[in-house]
C-alpha cells in the first residue's frame, strides 16, 4: 500500500513537470504561417512564434514547475490547494491556445506589424489573406487539458499520498504517559508548574532570633570551658 502511494505521488509530480516542459516547448515554436499583403502590394509570408501568439504560456508553465516542487513537501490541505491551482493553470493554457487558434490574425498582430508596418486590429485582419496553424498550438491545447485533469487527480487522490518526510514535520515532544505535542509546555503537569514557585520555606527564620541563639550558645560554651570561673581574674 505504501509503495502504491509513493508511486502515485511520483507519477503525479512527474506528470506536472512533463506538462509544464511541453508547454514551454510549444511556446518556443512557430504557431502560424500567415500570408499578408505588403505596402507595395506584394504578398508576404509571416511566421508567428508561440511567444507572440500565446505570450502568457511561459509564465503559466513556470508556475506549473514551481507547483511541482511544492507538491513534493505539501501536506493534505496545501495539496488540495495546489491541485486546484494546477486545474486553473491547465484551463488557462487551453483557453489561451484555443483563443489563438480561433483568431490567428488577432493573436499575431505584433508579428504582422513588425513585418508590414500596419497596426490596428481591423487593418491587420484586412491585409491577412491566409493563416495556416502548425501542430504546436494544438499540442498546447492538449497539454492544457492534461494539466487540468492532473489537477483533478491531485484533489481526488490527495489522502492516498504518503506523508511527507520527517524533516518537514514539526518536532514532537512525548510525555511519560504517552501524550505528544509540538509545544513542551503542553506536557507539563499542574504540579510541575507550581514546583518552581515553592522555593521559600514555610516558616521563615527571624535574623534577630538567630543572632540571640548564637550568642547564648557562645556563652554556654565559655562557661563549660571555665567551669563558671573567670580565668582573667
Amino acid at each position: 500500500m505504501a509503495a502504491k502511494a509513493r508511486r502515485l505521488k511520483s507519477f503525479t509530480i512527474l506528470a506536472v513537470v512533463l506538462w509544464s516542459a511541453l508547454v514551454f516547448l510549444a511556446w518556443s515554436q512557430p504557431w502560424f504561417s500567415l500570408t499578408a499583403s505588403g505596402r507595395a502590394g506584394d504578398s508576404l509570408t509571416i511566421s508567428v512564434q508561440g511567444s507572440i501568439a500565446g505570450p502568457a504560456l511561459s509564465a503559466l508553465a513556470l508556475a506549473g514547475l514551481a507547483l511541482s516542487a511544492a507538491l513534493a513537501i505539501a501536506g493534505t490541505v496545501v495539496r488540495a490547494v495546489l491541485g486546484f491551482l494546477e486545474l486553473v493553470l491547465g484551463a488557462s493554457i487551453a483557453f489561451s491556445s484555443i483563443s489563438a487558434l480561433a483568431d490567428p490574425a488577432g493573436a499575431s498582430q505584433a508579428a504582422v506589424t513588425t513585418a508590414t508596418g500596419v497596426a490596428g486590429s481591423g487593418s491587420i485582419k484586412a491585409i491577412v489573406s491566409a493563416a495556416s496553424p502548425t501542430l504546436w498550438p494544438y499540442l498546447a491545447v492538449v497539454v492544457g487539458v492534461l494539466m487540468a485533469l492532473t489537477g483533478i487527480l491531485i484533489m481526488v487522490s490527495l489522502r492516498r499520498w504518503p506523508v511527507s518526510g520527517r524533516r518537514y514535520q514539526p518536532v514532537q515532544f512525548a510525555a511519560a504517559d504517552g501524550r505528544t505535542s509540538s509545544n513542551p509546555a503542553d506536557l507539563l503537569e499542574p504540579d510541575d508548574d507550581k514546583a518552581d514557585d515553592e522555593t521559600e520555606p514555610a516558616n521563615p527564620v527571624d535574623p534577630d532570633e538567630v543572632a540571640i541563639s548564637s550568642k547564648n550558645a557562645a556563652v554556654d560554651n565559655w562557661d563549660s570551658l571555665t567551669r563558671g570561673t573567670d580565668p582573667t581574674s
Side-chain angles (χ1 to χ4, degrees), residues 152-173:
I152 296 175
L153 174 63
I154 293 171
M155 290 186 289
V156 170
S157 63
L158 56 89
R159 295 190 179 278
R160 296 172 53 190
W161 285 36
V163 179
S164 301
R166 186 177 299 274
R167 58 180 173 174
Y168 302 114
Q169 301 299 324
V171 176
Q172 293 290 320
F173 297 91

Side-chain angles (χ1 to χ4, degrees), residues 198-211:
E198 297 178 354
T199 56
E200 296 184 358
N203 297 319
V205 179
D206 188 351
D208 294 337
E209 294 181 359
V210 173

Side-chain angles (χ1 to χ4, degrees), residues 15-31 49-52 54-68 86 89 93-94 97 136-137 139-144 147:
V16 173
V17 174
L18 177 61
W19 305 149
S20 299
L22 288 176
V23 171
F24 264 123
L25 178 63
W27 171 80
S28 65
Q29 301 301 314
W31 278 28
Q49 296 292 118
S51 57
I52 296 176
L57 265 61
S58 60
L60 295 173
L62 184 61
L65 290 176
L67 188 146
S68 66
E86 179 74 0
L89 289 176
I93 291 170
S97 304
W136 295 107
L139 175 64
V141 173
V142 173
V143 173
M147 286 182 70

